[in-house]
């Protein structure tokens, strides 16, 4: 992992993080070398697909980003970026893997998930243990750090983003990737954002967090993870009340395929997240 961090540091010194040139009137645009910090107070919830897994209450949500000359921090994502053209940006990024957040309620990786910046082994019936496995019965799931490449395309009120991630902490030794299409618009009711996203997660990632192996109690049904495809929809809304205050809300739906739901840990095939509140911009 230290070699990846060294590479990230060297590249950040050699490259210039090129953000949009004019940000005066665009609330979705990041101004270079300026810290943005806001807090949203309200109520919401993220469901938990695991048996006996705790739902995550959403009360106070931070949004933090800073784009420096050579590096940026954007709601839990640390990286450096290159402007390939006016519309295309390539970034080298790193962040905490979010899967552990379903197993540990107050996992640090949960903090920035809600910001709005923009081979299964066959087992005979005689050997199968309980069909359901409580999250409290299994071994502790690990914390992982991912690094990867992010490619962004911007055009008017549209944005396409693709990410490819690799575990650099040698925790699950796998990969995951995503591609999303976002549309932004304004009307008399406020500012809106709709995103359709497709996530892919490798068998090693799914097996590490949702598999049941010899490290877990013997009476649980064994399960080996498989590659997973997970479509996702997000809708967010914001209505400014003043220069610093705004009312906001968002809704997110993530669908889980058989690679997830075949695990005895899973009790549902989806994860829903929602929030409604008031935000205040400190910086």
């Amino acid at each position: 992992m230290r070699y990846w961090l060294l590479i990230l540091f060297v590249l950040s010194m050699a490259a210039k993080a090129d953000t949009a040139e004019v940000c005066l009137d665009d609330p979705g645009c990041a101004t270079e070398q300026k810290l943005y910090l806001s807090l949203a107070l309200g109520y919401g919830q993220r469901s938990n697909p695991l048996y006996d897994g705790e739902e995550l209450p959403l009360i106070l949500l931070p949004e933090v980003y800073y784009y420096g000359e050579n590096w940026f921090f954007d709601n839990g994502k640390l990286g450096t970026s290159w402007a390939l053209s006016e519309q295309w940006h390539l970034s080298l990024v790193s962040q905490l893997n979010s899967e552990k957040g379903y197993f540990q309620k107050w996992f640090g990786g949960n903090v920035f998930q809600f910001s709005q910046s923009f081979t299964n082994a066959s087992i005979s019936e005689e050997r199968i243990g309980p069909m359901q496995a409580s999250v409290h019965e299994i071994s502790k799931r690990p914390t992982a750090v991912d690094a990867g490449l992010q490619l962004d395309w911007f055009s008017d009120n549209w944005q396409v983003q693709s990410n490819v991630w690799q575990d650099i902490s040698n925790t699950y030794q796998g990969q995951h990737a995503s591609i999303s299409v976002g549309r932004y618009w304004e009307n008399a009711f406020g500012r809106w954002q709709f995103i359709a996203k497709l996530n892919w997660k490798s068998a090693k990632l799914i097996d590490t967090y949702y598999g049941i192996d010899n490290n877990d109690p013997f009476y649980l049904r064994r399960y080996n993870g498989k590659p997973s495809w997970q479509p996702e929809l997000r809708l967010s809304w914001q209505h400014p009340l003043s220069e610093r205050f705004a009312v906001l809300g968002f809704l997110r739906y993530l669908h889980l395929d058989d690679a997830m739901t075949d695990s005895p840990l899973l009790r549902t095939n989806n994860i829903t997240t929602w929030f409604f509140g008031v935000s205040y911009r400190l910086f």
Side-chain angles (χ1 to χ4, degrees), residues 10 50 60 82-83 96 106 110 151 158 168 170 173 178 194 209 211-212 214 223 236 238 250 261 266 273:
V10 172
L50 305 176
L60 186 64
W82 302 266
L96 289 175
W106 302 115
N110 281 332
L151 183 64
W158 291 88
I168 61 171
N170 201 34
Q173 302 177 356
S178 66
F194 178 77
Y209 289 95
I212 302 294
N214 293 331
Y223 179 73
S236 60
Q238 184 182 84
F250 66 84
T261 58
L266 271 288
T273 308

Side-chain angles (χ1 to χ4, degrees), residues 18-250:
D18 197 347
T19 57
E21 295 179 1
V22 180
C23 294
L24 297 178
D25 300 316
D26 185 357
C29 180
T31 304
E32 187 175 291
Q33 296 183 329
K34 183 176 180 180
L35 174 66
Y36 179 96
L37 171 61
S38 70
L39 296 174
L41 178 65
Y43 186 75
Q45 198 171 74
R46 186 195 65 187
S47 66
N48 195 314
L50 305 176
Y51 282 106
D52 295 326
E54 294 185 73
E55 295 181 337
L56 182 67
L58 307 179
I59 306 296
L60 186 64
L61 302 183
E63 183 174 3
V64 185
Y65 60 77
Y66 174 83
Y67 282 78
E69 184 177 358
N70 299 309
W71 64 279
F72 67 86
F73 177 85
D74 192 337
N75 294 299
K77 188 182 293 183
L78 176 66
T80 186
S81 181
W82 302 266
L84 306 179
S85 68
E86 274 191 26
Q87 293 182 309
W88 291 93
H89 285 228
L90 179 66
S91 304
L92 178 63
V93 289
S94 63
Q95 66 177 12
L96 289 175
N97 188 282
S98 62
E99 298 299 327
K100 186 177 178 179
Y102 301 112
F103 297 87
Q104 183 176 321
K105 187 175 183 179
W106 302 115
F107 170 58
N110 281 332
V111 175
F112 293 109
Q113 280 193 52
F114 316 106
S115 57
Q116 302 301 304
S117 33
F118 208 111
T119 34
N120 183 22
S122 59
I123 307 175
S124 65
E125 290 294 326
E126 290 75 19
R127 293 175 57 197
I128 294 180
M131 295 301 295
Q132 301 173 2
S134 168
V135 68
H136 302 304
E137 297 178 275
I138 60 174
S139 58
K140 185 178 180 181
R141 276 13 186 187
T143 299
V145 180
D146 298 327
L149 293 175
Q150 175 176 304
L151 183 64
D152 291 282
W153 176 81
F154 306 91
S155 178
D156 297 327
N157 294 325
W158 291 88
Q159 179 181 359
V160 178
Q161 183 179 98
S162 61
N163 287 88
V164 179
W165 300 93
Q166 168 68 46
D167 171 29
I168 61 171
S169 56
N170 201 34
T171 300
Y172 63 89
Q173 302 177 356
Q175 306 80 30
H176 61 103
S178 66
I179 183 167
S180 65
V181 179
R183 174 77 165 91
Y184 308 83
W185 71 96
E186 290 190 35
N187 57 26
F189 299 100
R191 300 168 182 149
W192 299 81
Q193 176 189 48
F194 178 77
I195 297 176
K197 186 176 184 181
L198 181 62
N199 303 281
W200 171 83
K201 299 176 182 178
S202 69
K204 288 185 177 180
L205 188 156
I206 298 298
D207 190 53
T208 298
Y209 289 95
Y210 305 101
I212 302 294
D213 58 22
N214 293 331
N215 293 319
D216 297 306
F218 72 91
Y219 52 82
L220 297 179
R221 175 169 64 92
R222 306 293 96 175
Y223 179 73
N224 296 325
K226 300 175 293 186
S228 177
W229 292 91
Q230 302 175 6
E232 178 181 343
L233 297 175
R234 302 184 187 183
L235 178 65
S236 60
W237 164 79
Q238 184 182 84
H239 183 74
L241 301 176
S242 67
E243 184 178 351
R244 292 186 178 271
F245 282 97
V247 181
L248 56 83
F250 66 84

Side-chain angles (χ1 to χ4, degrees), residues 257-269:
D257 65 359
D258 292 348
M260 290 278 287
T261 58
D262 284 349
S263 169
L265 293 174
L266 271 288
R267 61 178 176 83
T268 182
N269 67 352

